[in-house]
Amino acid sequence: MNMFSMIAEHMYIVFIAIAIAVVLGIFFGVVAYWVRYLDKIILWLTEVLQTIPSLALLALLMIVFGLGNTTIIVGLVLYALMPIVRNTFIGLNDVQPYLKDAAKGMGMTKLQRLIKVELPLSFPLIFSGIKIATVNSLSIAVMGVLIGAGGLGFPVYRGIQTRSLELILMGAIPVVLMALVFDYVMSNIERRLTLRTSDTNK
Amino acid sequence: MTLIDFLIENQRDMTNNLLRHIELVGISVFIGIVISIPLGIVLSRHRKLAGTVLAIAGTIQTIPGLVMLGFALIFLGIGMLPALVILSLYAILPILRNTYTGITEVDPSYTEAARGIGMTNMQMLFKVELPLALSSIIGGIRISTVYIVSWATLASYIGAGGLGDPIWTGLATYNTKLILSGAVPSAILALVLSGLIGLLQRILTPRGLRGVRV
């Protein structure tokens, strides 16, 4: 078992999942913000996804997508949607009305306002959602081993099967360290982003 | 054999699994509540200590479920008791954090007013701070419950029983029906419990605070 390749594969799975979740999450957050009557249902659906037990969701996905990395990536995306969609929605709603009015007054279209004013101003909050999703995904990705995916779940599961604490720790320590490092680094970035926009956004 | 036949044939197994699952969730969330609400109150009185304790609890929470399962298996063995220990450990953080923030976020003007009319510390806690923090505390219990329904499916692997049993067996033997007979009820259980506790939260929120986002 090569430690480096397992860490690399773990990160690869999480990054792909987060990348997809960011695109989808911001998209659905914007849809919820633009289309008033859809907001409740979109937020509710992402919350429902989050509520489904992970083992159950992964087992169900395995029935559809089979064994392998694809299945765990789909599962992680579904779990990551909630924090990103919710924070995008709240962030867009919290942009000061006078800024929205000013943008409208300058003759910006709806799309221009979104891209040039509203999304940049809500980015710190969106980033905070991405942080939560990333840290959670690092931990949930360990379960990928149960549905035939690679990553650090492999030594953990092997350790459970052979009752070897060493093997379990070999997988667990890198996962927890990565989660803590990502949390620390992304919290710092988040703080800087918030400082930069705080004088205009509240 | 169609899915319906399968469900009818395995009705008793499914009911037993469901009841055992509810038992696991109920006991561990109860233990979580008993530990974390008093601890949260103590922490709100010692705010310097709070940062450290919450950070430790937060780190425990980042340990993946599968790893915790491994620890339980190696240090505590198999059965329901090791599972309950692990599940209770996971139940603590959300309730602890919400109790702490719920109490510390009570508007100081209320506690000053309580102090001003001559309330003792205990009176202030039970008549002012806890009622105002109740909604946040129940929110924590709701998060814990949803987590525990999920972790409890994992705990079946170490012999705790519950709805995880058919999922694990189904995964090992690639039996779709078995997987469905565990996964669907556990998902529904999580959603129902979350909804019920959410309802309780709304009912128990003091009338004057309803409509205010907590």
Side-chain angles (χ1 to χ4, degrees), chain A residues 120-139:
Chain A
L121 284 175
S122 38
F123 190 66
L125 201 60
I126 298 176
F127 190 79
S128 154
I130 298 173
K131 179 189 78 183
I132 297 170
T134 309
V135 173
N136 284 346
S137 300
L138 281 168
S139 167

Side-chain angles (χ1 to χ4, degrees), chain B residues 82-174:
Chain B
L84 283 176
V85 173
I86 293 298
L87 294 179
S88 311
L89 202 59
Y90 268 120
I92 291 175
L93 178 72
I95 310 176
L96 179 65
R97 195 177 38 203
N98 278 31
T99 307
Y100 175 75
T101 49
I103 293 179
T104 49
E105 276 173 10
V106 169
D107 194 326
S109 58
Y110 296 131
T111 46
E112 274 162 30
R115 190 67 78 199
I117 60 171
M119 282 192 183
T120 64
N121 277 337
M122 274 295 151
Q123 283 174 323
M124 207 165 85
L125 178 66
F126 284 105
K127 299 199 166 165
V128 180
E129 290 171 306
L130 280 183
L132 288 173
L134 192 62
S135 170
S136 162
I137 296 174
I138 296 176
I141 295 175
R142 178 175 167 192
I143 298 171
S144 276
T145 309
V146 170
Y147 277 165
I148 300 303
V149 172
S150 172
W151 296 127
T153 57
L154 284 176
S156 303
Y157 188 77
I158 57 170
L163 292 165
D165 260 353
I167 305 182
W168 282 103
T169 318
L171 278 175
T173 57
Y174 215 94

Side-chain angles (χ1 to χ4, degrees), chain B:
Chain B
M1 187 161 60
T2 65
L3 187 62
I4 303 292
D5 292 334
F6 177 85
L7 290 181
I8 293 169
E9 197 161 298
N10 291 284
Q11 198 183 14
R12 185 186 295 179
D13 277 350
M14 276 177 67
T15 319
N16 284 342
N17 287 338
L18 179 67
L19 290 177
R20 170 54 73 85
H21 208 88
I22 294 173
E23 195 183 345
L24 283 170
V25 174
I27 296 176
S28 39
V29 171
F30 178 75
I31 297 175
I33 292 173
V34 170
I35 295 176
S36 38
I37 293 183
L39 191 59
I41 295 171
V42 171
L43 287 185
S44 71
R45 301 292 188 262
H46 300 89
R47 303 210 178 170
K48 277 188 187 145
L49 192 68
T52 325
V53 175
L54 288 174
I56 294 172
T59 310
I60 294 177
Q61 201 81 17
T62 60
I63 300 176
L66 209 56
V67 173
M68 274 296 209
L69 193 72
F71 288 161
L73 186 68
I74 286 173
F75 294 117
L76 304 167
I78 54 170
M80 196 168 167
L81 195 68
L84 283 176
V85 173
I86 293 298
L87 294 179
S88 311
L89 202 59
Y90 268 120
I92 291 175
L93 178 72
I95 310 176
L96 179 65
R97 195 177 38 203
N98 278 31
T99 307
Y100 175 75
T101 49
I103 293 179
T104 49
E105 276 173 10
V106 169
D107 194 326
S109 58
Y110 296 131
T111 46
E112 274 162 30
R115 190 67 78 199
I117 60 171
M119 282 192 183
T120 64
N121 277 337
M122 274 295 151
Q123 283 174 323
M124 207 165 85
L125 178 66
F126 284 105
K127 299 199 166 165
V128 180
E129 290 171 306
L130 280 183
L132 288 173
L134 192 62
S135 170
S136 162
I137 296 174
I138 296 176
I141 295 175
R142 178 175 167 192
I143 298 171
S144 276
T145 309
V146 170
Y147 277 165
I148 300 303
V149 172
S150 172
W151 296 127
T153 57
L154 284 176
S156 303
Y157 188 77
I158 57 170
L163 292 165
D165 260 353
I167 305 182
W168 282 103
T169 318
L171 278 175
T173 57
Y174 215 94
N175 184 332
T176 316
K177 286 172 198 149
L178 268 181
I179 293 178
L180 286 173
S181 77
V184 174
S186 67
I188 294 174
L189 181 65
L191 291 172
V192 167
L193 287 179
S194 166
L196 284 180
I197 301 175
L199 200 67
L200 188 72
Q201 187 177 10
R202 212 167 313 149
I203 293 171
L204 288 179
T205 304
R207 220 172 304 135
L209 290 179
R210 273 180 214 166
V212 181
R213 241 202 259 166
V214 185

Side-chain angles (χ1 to χ4, degrees), chain A residues 86-95 118 121-122 125 201:
Chain A
R86 194 194 45 197
N87 281 20
T88 305
F89 178 73
I90 296 175
L92 291 173
N93 272 312
D94 278 357
V95 172
E118 293 163 345
L121 284 175
S122 38
L125 201 60
N201 197 10

